[in-house]
Amino acid sequence: MYTFNLQNILIFSLLLHFVLSSTKSDYAGVLEEIFQTNKYNKKVLPQEDSDEPLEVHISFQLFGINEIDEVLEKMVTTGYLVVSWNDLGLAWDPSNHNQVENVFVPQDDVWKPDVFLQNGFKKLVELGTPSYYISVDYDGWMTWFPFEVFETRCSLDTTYFPFDEQKCNVSIVIWSHTLNEIIFVDDDDAIIFNELFQQNSVWDVISISYHIYEDSTEPKITYTIKLKRKPLYYIFNILLPVEFLGFLNGLVFVIPADTGEKMGFSMTVFLSLAVFLTSISEVLPVNSVNVSVLGVYLLLQVIIGVCVLITSALQLRLNARSTSHPVTGMYLRIVQMKSKCCGRTVKERHVQMR
Ligand SMILES: *[C@@H]1O[C@H](CO)[C@@H](O)[C@H](O)[C@H]1NC(C)=O
């Protein structure tokens, strides 16, 4: 949809040029001068001086974060690059052509840097497609807008899931040239949240920064997108239910042993916790590098559930014992331990029981 818009704008400005200043034949005259008279060769790197690398200006227009896949560790963003450089082989004198100052040529008709997404998720494919046009000004200033849905690798640190922040990189390289031939130059507006920028429902973009590498073999620029997860969904669907189940777990000690419901109750709570655990493991990132705090908490809840089950079983066994049967030493020690912290003595309790 966005490509369509962009092309519309290009076509519109193209038409505007026709109407305002010049005719079709003037426009064709420019193209003829460039490609036929001047014999423009698109294989030639438009480097003026072999000591001076060609400056390629680059900026990133971001439309939105589409998706972050925790399981595959992938970020999908939509946006386009604005890549500009100077190619004097395409310059012309507008006064010879009825003031035609700007033309559009198919991207494959002229030299352009081979720009690749370095940390892409799929096969390394050059950005831009043959259907894109490059804007050419009369002084040789070229502007190219490769639009892309960028799928990039992004290693996620989910320790504090769902209250985590992530940094994801989008690395752009020019693959076939060295830093002696081409360098990236940043513009004042190197990163732009396009006015069509759409917020993601799960992720907030906190900031974007960029870094131009000066020590790599090929020209390279990395955009770092800092994101923060909106935790509300996970609070309502995971944290609170698990919290309540943990509370219910403790409630088993309130139920009198004579009703015979103790085991059934704690078993039910334990099972629903287990069901939760499976549904959560689908939401939690598959990641063995860093263990998430939430995962540890859930494991702890399960362990507590098991302990509660064991305690209830022992309690019931004790309850069903006939009073003539002496209480064994193990139980007495447990009761002694408990009475130390809760104030009652074993003696008092024995009296009460009789
Ligand atoms: C992302 O880019 C920054 C800045 O260039 C760099 O310091 C960092 O190591 C990169 N992260 C990854 C995962 O490549």
Side-chain angles (χ1 to χ4, degrees), residues 115-136:
V115 178
F116 287 88
L117 184 64
Q118 197 191 34
N119 61 342
F121 215 77
K122 293 189 286 197
K123 210 176 92 189
L124 199 67
V125 194
E126 189 175 359
L127 300 190
T129 66
S131 59
Y132 291 164
Y133 279 68
I134 295 184
S135 152
V136 187

Side-chain angles (χ1 to χ4, degrees), residues 169 211 213 222 224:
N169 284 355
H211 178 73
Y213 290 82
T222 294
T224 304

